[in-house]
Amino acid sequence: MLKRLLLAGAAGALMTAAAQAQTPVKIGVLNDRSGVYADISGEGSVVAARMAVEDFKAAEKGLKVEIVSADHQNKPDVGASLARQWYDRDGVDVILDVPTSSVALAISQVTREKNKAFVNSGAGTADLTGAQCSPNTVHWTYDTVALANGTGGAMVKRGGNTWFFLTADYAFGQALQRDTTAVVTKNGGKVVGSVKTPFPTADFSSFLLQAQGSGAKVIGLANAGGDTINAIKQAAEFGITEGGQAIAGLLVFSSDVHSLTPKVAQGLVLTEPFYWDLNDATRAFSDRFAKTFNGKKPTAVQAGVYGGVIHYLKAVEALKSAKDGGQVIAKMKELPTDDPLFGKGTIRPDGRKIHDMYLFEVKKPGESKDPWDLYKTLATIPGNEAFRPMSEGGCPLVGKS
Amino acid sequence: MTMIFGVPMQALFGQLLLGLINGSFYAILSLGLAIIFGLLNIINFTHGAQYMMGAFVAWMLLNYAGIGYWWALLLAPLAVGLFGVIMERLLIARLYKLDHLYGLLLTFGLALIIQGLFRNEYGVSGLPYAIPSELSGGQRLPFMFLPNYRGWVVVASLVVCLATWLVIEKTKLGAYLRAATENPTLVQAFGVNVPLLLTLTYGFGVALAAFAGVLAAPVYSVNPNMGADIIIVVFAVVVIGGMGSILGSIITGFTLGLIEGLTKVFYPEASSTVIFVIMVLVLLVKPAGLFGRTA
């Protein structure tokens, strides 16, 4: 199913009458539009990209922006061939979003080969700015190390010093367990057991019972999407949290919690770089977003696409051309970032975007006033503590000093 | 504490009970498939989508009409069953004289279309559906905490399975049905309306899937792909039990739930494949399945 939608370009159309020379920019939003990650990225990311082009006032600044989108079906081969087609035939200058770590790593490689630009928002793997970093890639929103640092560190500090993992039995789950284990042990905690669950799993009750039997204070969910939702739903059913054990969701998005409802997910501790109700700017953006997108609030991944497009356009404006992707990415690293959703930040030489992360707790049903009123903020984790130090990532772009 | 293979006895009991609960879903779903295959000779690949529709109709009844769980348990199977009847009249009825493959392709295609439509409308994260207040909470058994709702699932599925089996094996209507499968022409000659019988049978099989969907709504994520994940396992259950064997599918459903439960304790990584391993072994030894008649 090769679904390509031709969108936007509205900003460019407005300015066709203007006589000034315009810099053409073609943005490709590549993500999951029908599978498990369609709600965290999907069409919402395209809406966010379109809003970024409007808010940047691209047309007034001499940029003629066009947005295209496609479904990579969470398959690296599908994603890579779409990317080649976009770069070679359709004149796409930059690819955004790309959830699913394996697809993201493939796109990063193709982008480097073609000297285009890649601004990732949806994928988790910290390898994008570690061993497999690239001069053509920026990793915007979050990564596995930041999630582990946030949730893992916080749970241990709150007294959760013994852990049991329910780990999705594939690369992503195992990486997340590995990174979190490192954080837990560094903070003086201990992992007492883990169970590898087949991916995907509908019924977690058996694994939850094993976790319950282990007596661990924290049950860490090293999984994502439907697996996480099922595990949390059934943990509530089996009275896990009432029994004094805490659940730590290592990768949870607001759309997951919205689907679970606060009644089921209450007390869950999680780490995210963005939540629609953080401040006036995020609220204003999210209200506009919801108006054009069926009343849904943006997820962190969709917010990351917005921030990424704004900063990318800023770099293109400075260079007056989008053709040399490596140059644009270098310019992005040089300019300080500043957008309404993530505030002021920087992009490191290894491609890692640095901003604060937040530790949230899901509200109790009594505290939540409407279906999207989900989190209260426990702590703000400053950007320089949240992400892995550049020296430990093993990125070949960064010379060892 | 007594240990069995390094696992405490009590934990083992808990896991067996959970296996039985999962077996309940397998049993109802495979029963519906077995009835449809036994009487209509149609391999109903839409079964998973119809199970998903049952859960969604329950959600819609609650959110659009304010109708709660208990009525949904009755109304959702009726609504989805009616959808099945229409499907049978319009499409499936045209395929009875053709090879199995055509029915398989038709129902598989329909399943993809139905799932796609629901995905477009409701997204993939799933919808919330709460456990009815009468069944919330649970019992603290000596070996585990059993949520009341899970207990109800086992009871409800046993009752429905046994009732279905009794109707087919012990009543006059059931006798007509079985006769119509053996020799439709002869039964029609006796004045029985065979096409109507087949339509109603399909509707009933579909209603069973929807019933399982409503049972599943409070415990699993209600999302458009929920049926696609479970249907493959259920097909394996039907193959192991023997295509078309009513009692076989019920017994196999519960038994495989138990075996899967044990695998989750001893070697969790294999718990999603153990049923297929058993399927291969059974097919090698008894190609018609454990309870199947050899053709």
Side-chain angles (χ1 to χ4, degrees), chain A residues 13 31 40 50 72 123 137 187 214 287 290 312 321:
Chain A
N31 59 25
I40 62 162
R50 216 181 295 147
H72 66 38
T137 297
N187 284 284
S214 76
D287 285 346
Y312 173 82
S321 163

Side-chain angles (χ1 to χ4, degrees), chain B residues 39-288:
Chain B
L39 300 179
L40 279 73
N41 266 337
I42 289 284
I43 302 170
N44 186 32
F45 250 99
T46 329
H47 218 66
Q50 285 151 345
Y51 159 81
M52 176 270 288
M53 285 170 78
F56 267 88
V57 170
W59 180 87
M60 288 173 196
L61 285 171
L62 184 69
N63 286 275
Y64 300 145
I67 295 170
Y69 176 81
W70 299 104
W71 280 106
L73 215 46
L74 180 72
L75 293 175
L78 278 179
V80 181
L82 187 69
F83 168 80
V85 165
I86 296 169
M87 223 179 99
E88 198 271 349
R89 281 287 81 192
L90 289 180
L91 301 164
I92 296 174
R94 295 162 202 276
L95 302 177
Y96 290 139
K97 291 194 175 65
L98 297 173
D99 190 77
H100 286 331
L101 263 182
Y102 290 89
L104 190 148
L105 283 176
L106 171 74
T107 52
F108 185 60
L110 282 172
L112 292 182
I113 292 171
I114 294 169
Q115 280 163 9
L117 288 175
F118 274 83
R119 196 163 49 216
N120 239 14
E121 189 59 32
Y122 295 100
V124 292
S125 313
L127 306 167
Y129 195 87
I131 292 174
S133 53
E134 295 88 344
L135 291 175
S136 58
Q139 307 299 323
R140 206 155 274 289
L141 304 180
F143 49 90
M144 71 175 291
F145 176 85
L146 176 70
N148 289 337
Y149 188 81
R150 299 262 171 165
W152 154 250
V153 167
V154 177
V155 175
S157 101
L158 271 177
V159 169
V160 167
C161 288
L162 284 178
T164 309
W165 179 73
L166 281 176
V167 167
I168 291 180
E169 296 293 331
K170 307 287 177 205
T171 66
K172 196 153 189 184
L173 179 69
Y176 284 150
L177 277 173
R178 281 176 291 134
T181 337
E182 291 292 324
N183 193 336
T185 333
L186 197 64
V187 177
Q188 194 136 26
F190 281 121
V192 177
N193 187 345
V194 172
L196 180 71
L197 213 56
L198 293 181
T199 306
L200 291 180
T201 307
Y202 187 76
F204 180 73
V206 170
L208 276 180
F211 181 79
V214 183
L215 276 185
V219 286
Y220 298 154
S221 165
V222 180
N223 73 63
N225 298 327
M226 65 190 283
D229 297 338
I230 199 169
I231 193 64
I232 307 294
V233 176
V234 173
F235 263 105
V237 171
V238 174
V239 171
I240 295 169
M243 283 303 254
S245 163
I246 309 289
L247 197 60
S249 69
I250 301 175
I251 296 173
T252 319
F254 280 104
T255 315
L256 287 177
L258 287 174
I259 293 175
E260 196 189 49
L262 286 178
T263 320
K264 282 181 175 169
V265 183
F266 292 110
Y267 190 52
E269 289 92 328
S271 58
S272 60
T273 37
V274 64
I275 288 185
F276 302 104
V277 174
I278 295 175
M279 181 179 87
V280 170
L281 292 176
V282 167
L283 287 180
L284 282 175
V285 182
K286 276 196 85 177

Side-chain angles (χ1 to χ4, degrees), chain A residues 12 16 25 31 52 62 66 71 109 111 120 147 153 166 184 198 214 227 286 288 301 304 309 337 358 368 380 396:
Chain A
T16 41
V25 185
N31 59 25
E66 190 187 338
D71 186 355
Q109 206 143 26
T111 307
N120 183 287
L147 296 172
L166 302 190
V184 168
S214 76
D227 275 2
S286 304
R288 275 171 57 216
V301 170
V309 169
T337 66
Y358 302 90
S368 165
T380 303

Side-chain angles (χ1 to χ4, degrees), chain A residues 1 3 33-40 169 195-207 209-210 212 226 229-230 233-234 236-239 242-243 255-256 258-261 263 294 296, chain B residues 11 14-15 18 21-22 119-131 137 140 143-147 149-150 216-223 225 229 261 264-266 268-272:
Chain A
M1 183 178 59
K3 184 167 59 177
R33 299 178 66 89
S34 55
V36 283
Y37 302 131
D39 280 359
I40 62 162
D169 194 10
V195 55
K196 289 196 181 83
T197 65
F199 172 75
T201 294
D203 189 61
F204 278 89
S205 52
S206 165
F207 306 124
L209 210 66
Q210 294 176 38
Q212 207 169 22
I229 291 176
N230 274 325
K233 199 169 174 174
Q234 290 156 19
E237 193 197 347
F238 278 82
E242 286 158 32
S255 55
D256 299 332
H258 173 72
S259 148
L260 280 163
T261 71
K263 184 165 182 271
N294 296 331
K296 292 181 188 163
Chain B
Q15 298 294 348
L18 289 174
I21 296 165
N22 281 332
R119 196 163 49 216
N120 239 14
E121 189 59 32
Y122 295 100
V124 292
S125 313
L127 306 167
Y129 195 87
I131 292 174
R140 206 155 274 289
F143 49 90
M144 71 175 291
F145 176 85
L146 176 70
Y149 188 81
R150 299 262 171 165
V219 286
Y220 298 154
S221 165
V222 180
N223 73 63
N225 298 327
D229 297 338
K264 282 181 175 169
V265 183
F266 292 110
E269 289 92 328
S271 58
S272 60

Side-chain angles (χ1 to χ4, degrees), chain A residues 27-267:
Chain A
I27 295 175
V29 179
L30 184 60
N31 59 25
D32 178 6
R33 299 178 66 89
S34 55
V36 283
Y37 302 131
D39 280 359
I40 62 162
S41 57
E43 174 64 15
S45 290
V46 181
V47 171
R50 216 181 295 147
M51 287 172 72
V53 174
E54 276 167 32
D55 291 357
F56 187 72
K57 301 198 166 41
E60 291 170 32
K61 292 174 180 164
L63 303 181
K64 186 172 182 295
V65 184
E66 190 187 338
I67 301 175
V68 292
S69 63
D71 186 355
H72 66 38
Q73 301 171 45
N74 298 324
K75 293 176 188 153
D77 51 331
V78 175
S81 70
L82 277 167
R84 279 178 205 283
Q85 186 189 323
W86 270 0
Y87 288 148
D88 291 342
R89 202 190 69 190
D90 302 344
V92 167
D93 300 301
V94 58
I95 290 181
L96 277 110
D97 205 2
V98 193
T100 312
S101 297
S102 48
V103 189
L105 290 168
I107 301 294
S108 180
Q109 206 143 26
V110 174
T111 307
R112 184 176 194 167
E113 199 180 291
K114 308 278 179 197
N115 191 31
K116 300 287 180 175
F118 177 35
V119 182
N120 183 287
S121 179
T125 179
D127 286 353
L128 272 175
T129 56
Q132 302 198 45
C133 69
S134 144
N136 299 71
T137 297
V138 166
H139 197 186
W140 193 275
T141 312
Y142 72 99
D143 63 30
T144 46
V145 176
L147 296 172
N149 274 339
T151 313
M155 294 304 280
V156 178
K157 277 183 201 121
R158 298 170 102 209
N161 53 9
T162 49
W163 283 62
F164 189 98
F165 284 102
L166 302 190
T167 306
D169 194 10
Y170 70 109
F172 160 76
Q174 285 161 13
L176 200 49
Q177 181 185 345
R178 178 198 65 209
D179 292 344
T180 313
T181 303
V183 174
V184 168
T185 36
K186 201 174 87 187
N187 284 284
K190 213 177 93 191
V191 176
V192 296
S194 69
V195 55
K196 289 196 181 83
T197 65
F199 172 75
T201 294
D203 189 61
F204 278 89
S205 52
S206 165
F207 306 124
L208 288 165
L209 210 66
Q210 294 176 38
Q212 207 169 22
S214 76
K217 288 180 188 160
V218 179
I219 301 173
L221 304 178
N223 49 23
D227 275 2
T228 309
I229 291 176
N230 274 325
I232 294 172
K233 199 169 174 174
Q234 290 156 19
E237 193 197 347
F238 278 82
I240 300 268
T241 35
E242 286 158 32
Q245 286 175 304
I247 305 278
L250 297 172
L251 178 54
V252 181
F253 291 98
S254 53
S255 55
D256 299 332
V257 178
H258 173 72
S259 148
L260 280 163
T261 71
K263 184 165 182 271
V264 175
Q266 57 180 300

